[in-house]
């Protein structure tokens, strides 16, 4: 029987465009895009952390808000501890954050069918975004407001982030496919000629 981490990793591998789209949508909504991609070292308020061996767990004040959220997907310390333990993650690096974000998304989407809701829709519908709103304050609820009364992104803006990431993921997958095919052909050729 596959572990939760294996299920998440398999979904990401089978759906590279949707995975990249989801990463970009959450990071875009949370304001952590750096150089067009998720910024894994971003603290709440925009500061940067140098050490990704663990969650920084440091409260930062910005305007009228204070938070210890960190990383591309703005994990709160307690949330990260639960994700880290559940998935057996050893650090706070990019791959760990990506799979941790996917777990949180899957958990929130279970009433809609889990990650298959994204696979079936091939997008982040307003219903999917509203299901994610309790996890990420910048996602809109069904009424368009933040679940936590904080500033919120419009559904169309989150969809734009999603499409940017999805296109990048699909292009990367298309580029990698011929390379993988050549590798298989090279192996077969060497076996047959050997």
């Amino acid at each position: 029987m596959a572990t939760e981490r294996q299920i998440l990793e398999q979904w990401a591998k089978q759906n590279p465009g949707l995975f990249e789209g989801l990463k970009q949508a959450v990071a875009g909504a949370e304001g952590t895009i750096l150089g067009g991609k998720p910024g894994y070292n971003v603290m709440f308020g925009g500061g940067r952390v140098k050490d990704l061996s663990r969650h920084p767990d440091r409260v930062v004040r910005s305007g009228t808000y204070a938070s210890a959220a960190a990383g591309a997907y703005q994990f709160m310390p307690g949330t990260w501890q639960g994700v880290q333990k559940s998935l057996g993650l050893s650090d706070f690096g990019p791959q760990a954050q990506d799979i941790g974000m996917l777990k949180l998304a899957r958990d929130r989407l279970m009433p809609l069918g889990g990650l298959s809701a994204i696979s079936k829709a091939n997008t982040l519908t307003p219903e999917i975004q509203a299901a994610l709103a309790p996890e990420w304050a910048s996602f809109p609820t069904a009424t368009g407001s933040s679940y936590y009364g904080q500033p919120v992104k419009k559904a169309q803006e989150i969809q734009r982030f999603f499409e940017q990431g999805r296109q990048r993921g699909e292009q990367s997958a298309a580029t990698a496919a011929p390379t993988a095919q050549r590798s298989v052909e090279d192996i077969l050729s060497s076996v047959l000629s050997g």
Side-chain angles (χ1 to χ4, degrees):
M1 188 162 134
T3 66
E4 182 178 22
R5 183 172 176 175
Q6 290 169 327
I7 291 167
L8 296 169
E9 289 170 344
Q10 187 65 29
W11 186 87
K13 185 177 179 183
Q14 291 174 343
N15 300 281
L18 299 177
F19 181 47
E20 289 297 321
L22 184 59
K23 288 167 43 176
Q24 190 80 3
V26 175
E30 292 297 308
T32 62
I33 299 287
L34 297 176
K37 295 183 181 177
Y40 297 97
N41 65 339
V42 177
M43 300 278 297
F44 171 76
R48 305 288 189 277
V49 61
K50 292 181 183 178
D51 179 11
L52 293 180
S53 65
R54 62 180 183 80
H55 189 290
D57 195 3
R58 187 172 67 223
V59 175
V60 176
R61 299 191 187 293
S62 179
T64 59
Y65 298 102
S67 178
Y73 314 112
Q74 294 295 279
F75 293 99
M76 294 296 289
T79 301
W80 180 252
Q81 288 171 355
V83 165
Q84 189 175 27
K85 182 178 179 183
S86 174
L87 298 177
L89 303 172
S90 60
D91 62 23
F92 193 60
Q95 290 177 333
Q97 288 184 42
D98 287 348
I99 203 72
M101 176 277 298
L102 203 53
K103 178 200 175 4
L104 295 177
R106 180 178 184 243
D107 290 350
R108 291 293 180 175
L109 293 173
M110 288 311 276
L112 303 177
L115 294 172
S116 67
I118 297 172
S119 301
K120 288 176 186 171
N122 202 34
T123 190
L124 290 185
T125 65
E127 182 181 29
I128 290 171
Q129 291 186 37
L132 297 174
E135 195 63 54
W136 290 289
S138 298
F139 269 68
T141 63
T143 63
S145 60
S146 169
Y147 191 83
Y148 298 98
Q150 297 178 359
V152 67
K153 299 283 194 258
K154 292 189 180 300
Q156 299 86 343
E157 188 173 5
I158 291 174
Q159 185 59 35
R160 185 176 51 80
F161 287 130
F162 178 81
E163 288 302 323
Q164 290 169 350
R166 185 175 77 155
Q167 289 174 5
R168 185 173 55 241
E170 289 172 355
Q171 289 169 352
S172 293
T175 303
T179 303
Q181 182 62 35
R182 279 195 302 268
S183 297
V184 169
E185 289 170 357
D186 292 343
I187 292 168
L188 286 175
S189 176
S190 67
V191 168
L192 294 174
S193 65

